[in-house]
Amino acid sequence: MRLRAVGVQDMRTGIIVSVRGPVVDVRFEGGDLPPVNTALNVLWDRGEPLMLEVHGHLDAEVVRCISLHATAGLARGTAVEATGGPVTVPVGEAVLGRLIDVTGQAGDHGAPFPPATPRRGIHARPPRLEDETASTDIFQTGIKIIDLLSPLAQGGKAAMFGGAGVGKTVLVMELIRAMVEKYKGISVFAGVGERSREGHELLKDMRESGVLERTVLVYGQMNEPPGARWRVPLTALTIAEYFRDTRHQNVLLLMDNIFRFVQAGSEISSLLGRLPSRVGYQPTLATEVAELEERIASVSGTAVTSIQAVYVPADDFTDPAVTAISAHMDSQIVLSRSLAAQGFYPAVDPLASNSILLDPLMVGEEHYRIAEQVREVLARFKDLEDIISLLGVEELSAADRKVVARARRLQRFLTQPFMVTEAFTGMAGRNVPVVETLKGCRAILDGEADDWAESSLYMVGTIDEARQKEGKVRQEVRA
């Protein structure tokens, strides 16, 4: 099966002259070379497609390409067809509920896409500055700790820092459900360098939780060539842009893991013979990240909200890749392994997470004041933890004991069960409005829950639910 660009009239044929892993050189007689970023189809005798992308002109007749598929078995002398345009992928309703690869081929063993399915090239310019609409509307996730301390903007970008096993995938699925149910929008998930196991698990979990019907999964897995992992975010973004521009629907774009996009670009840079830059990264790092991030924008009141998981090498937030990505983010959500180990889910670190939207002009004076008080109490508790572990809470002053008691209750109140985990935990999921979150935190800060059992505040939605739970606990004690 051949992959072709849409709307292309001039098809030229070349011959492969060199194959070095994912780097392939192709000669075109006559010197009429395809431009950079042009897609080339390899005309070989195997059933699976093999697509190349032009990345440079070596001389008047030879182009250097990066393969988007495995090149095992590819020989010199094989014919190559220039499509005349960039890689194109299917977009629109047909891709909803499907899993596709970097070139738009179905990877879920489902039916082929109909011939009439519209296609778009993965390379596009960002919207013009005058066409972009700045949005101060908050994207309400229904997740208490995020809405309170790291609010997200509709059409904004958020980075989610977290390793394996801290609840990242569950958080992603809950955010997808929030977009599908509350905002009637579309979710596009880009798995960049994901393990095959993770991809299968996410697809299975999404099917079981009922969020797959309004979601598109785009994967460039860890076992695929660096070219595929490098271009997967562009494929996902192209699909998101179609729903934004043509269908005028809000889109939630999730990328896991955007650091692997940078890693793939670094591999490609080395394969193409470019000199490395800081810490061995590609010299074009800032440009590649900016070209991707600047396409994520709101246009004509329709928003593309992006949440991107970021791996931090050796927990070094000064790493060039991390700083390049962070410069484009509005909010930063840090997932803590320590909190996850204590059973606090979602395991969002309230002190390390932040958002430029947490401002009185954006969220209101009351929200800002309560969020600052919550942070102050939790920060004081963190300072006292070493003393408590050595001497015990009894050695603290009365004021500090009160701070510790309220901080522990705030920690538990900011947990909540998710709808996507109901089948595993047996607890009904909670989606909590911001107003209820503020009401609950205010009650705890004012001392209303000082004499409550801590368990009454754990894994609940609103403070009213916690109050009912406390009433049941007291009845059981009296009985």
Side-chain angles (χ1 to χ4, degrees):
M1 177 176 57
R2 296 182 187 176
L3 303 173
R4 294 177 179 266
V6 173
V8 176
Q9 298 176 353
D10 181 27
M11 309 287 255
R12 300 202 60 245
T13 302
I15 299 295
I16 292 176
V17 294
S18 172
V19 180
R20 296 186 305 280
V23 179
V24 181
D25 294 345
V26 181
R27 181 184 301 279
F28 287 87
E29 298 290 344
D32 186 11
L33 300 182
V36 171
N37 292 334
T38 298
L40 311 179
N41 288 324
V42 176
L43 307 177
W44 62 348
D45 56 359
R46 303 201 175 193
E48 63 271 14
L50 174 54
M51 179 172 280
L52 312 175
E53 187 178 61
V54 177
H55 277 267
H57 296 174
L58 296 185
D59 55 38
E61 291 189 339
V62 179
V63 296
R64 177 153 289 173
C65 308
I66 290 292
S67 174
L68 301 182
H69 300 94
T71 57
L74 183 62
R76 287 180 295 177
T78 305
V80 171
E81 181 183 67
T83 63
V87 176
T88 64
V89 294
V91 294
E93 295 288 337
V95 298
L96 292 178
R98 302 298 300 272
L99 186 151
I100 64 175
D101 68 7
V102 64
T103 58
Q105 298 299 298
D108 54 6
H109 304 294
F113 295 111
T117 303
R119 299 181 74 92
R120 274 193 174 189
I122 65 172
H123 297 284
R125 291 184 177 275
R128 295 183 305 173
L129 190 59
E130 58 264 33
D131 294 334
E132 293 187 22
T133 56
S135 174
T136 57
D137 294 335
I138 303 298
F139 176 71
Q140 296 192 18
T141 64
I143 300 171
K144 291 182 287 188
I145 192 166
I146 292 178
D147 289 342
L148 176 68
L149 300 175
S150 302
L152 312 182
Q154 284 198 52
K157 304 185 218 21
M160 187 166 63
F161 300 93
V166 295
K168 182 173 55 184
T169 300
V170 173
L171 195 57
V172 162
M173 287 196 295
E174 192 70 10
L175 290 168
I176 290 174
R177 180 179 284 277
M179 170 57 79
V180 171
E181 292 189 351
K182 186 179 294 185
Y183 293 93
K184 308 301 180 188
I186 302 298
S187 297
V188 180
F189 179 86
V192 186
E194 290 281 276
R195 302 172 185 86
S196 299
R197 172 188 58 78
E198 293 174 336
H200 286 296
E201 287 179 357
L202 184 63
L203 180 62
K204 179 175 177 290
D205 291 344
M206 283 187 172
R207 278 178 175 156
E208 292 176 352
S209 60
V211 301
L212 186 61
E213 293 180 358
R214 305 296 291 170
T215 304
V216 185
L217 302 179
V218 187
Y219 271 88
Q221 296 185 142
M222 191 175 285
N223 62 333
E224 295 188 51
R229 290 179 269 124
W230 193 42
R231 290 312 193 196
V232 156
L234 299 187
T235 299
L237 185 53
T238 300
I239 295 170
E241 288 172 333
Y242 175 84
F243 284 107
R244 180 195 67 189
D245 299 335
T246 305
R247 305 300 296 273
H248 303 292
Q249 291 177 286
N250 291 330
V251 181
L252 177 63
L253 176 64
L254 300 117
M255 297 187 186
D256 185 11
N257 186 305
I258 199 64
F259 178 80
R260 295 189 189 121
F261 159 76
V262 174
Q263 277 187 317
S266 179
E267 291 179 49
I268 287 172
S269 181
S270 299
L271 290 168
L272 294 176
R274 297 174 186 155
L275 289 175
S277 182
R278 291 175 56 205
V279 200
Y281 285 110
Q282 61 270 42
T284 54
L285 169 63
T287 302
E288 291 172 9
V289 172
E291 286 177 348
L292 175 68
E293 299 292 350
E294 287 180 6
R295 287 174 61 180
I296 304 171
S298 300
V299 178
S300 301
T302 309
V304 175
T305 305
S306 177
I307 299 174
Q308 304 170 22
V310 184
Y311 168 69
V312 183
D315 293 331
D316 180 14
F317 281 81
T318 64
D319 184 88
V322 176
T323 55
I325 295 168
S326 299
H328 296 272
M329 297 298 154
D330 304 318
S331 307
Q332 296 187 12
I333 301 168
V334 179
L335 298 179
S336 165
R337 190 172 303 280
S338 172
L339 291 174
Q342 296 175 62
F344 295 132
Y345 287 103
V348 177
D349 188 330
L351 301 179
S353 303
N354 60 78
S355 171
I356 63 171
L357 296 174
L358 192 59
D359 183 280
L361 298 176
M362 298 290 187
V363 298
E365 289 286 349
E366 183 187 24
H367 185 151
Y368 178 76
R369 178 175 54 81
I370 291 174
E372 287 299 295
Q373 288 177 354
V374 167
R375 276 221 177 99
E376 184 180 344
V377 170
L378 293 175
R380 180 59 181 161
F381 175 50
K382 187 176 180 65
D383 291 341
L384 295 170
E385 280 185 330
D386 289 341
I387 297 175
I388 295 170
S389 62
L390 290 172
L391 303 175
V393 72
E394 295 80 10
E395 297 301 318
L396 299 178
S397 67
D400 283 343
R401 285 201 299 272
K402 184 182 293 184
V403 168
V404 169
R406 291 178 183 176
R408 289 175 61 87
R409 283 161 176 78
L410 281 170
Q411 279 184 327
R412 283 150 182 79
F413 178 68
L414 291 175
T415 64
Q416 71 189 84
F418 286 160
M419 295 180 185
V420 296
T421 60
E422 289 180 5
F424 311 107
T425 63
M427 293 185 287
R430 304 289 192 275
N431 189 285
V432 185
V434 178
V435 175
E436 291 294 336
T437 301
L438 297 176
K439 177 183 172 183
C441 291
R442 190 191 311 113
I444 296 171
L445 291 168
D446 290 344
E448 184 180 332
D450 283 356
D451 58 346
W452 293 9
E454 291 180 358
S455 59
S456 298
L457 294 152
Y458 180 68
M459 283 295 172
V460 297
T462 65
I463 192 69
D464 293 331
E465 184 182 344
R467 191 177 287 110
Q468 293 174 5
K469 194 173 177 182
E470 172 67 15
K472 292 179 181 177
V473 169
R474 294 190 177 189
Q475 285 180 0
E476 291 174 359
V477 170
R478 285 195 294 266

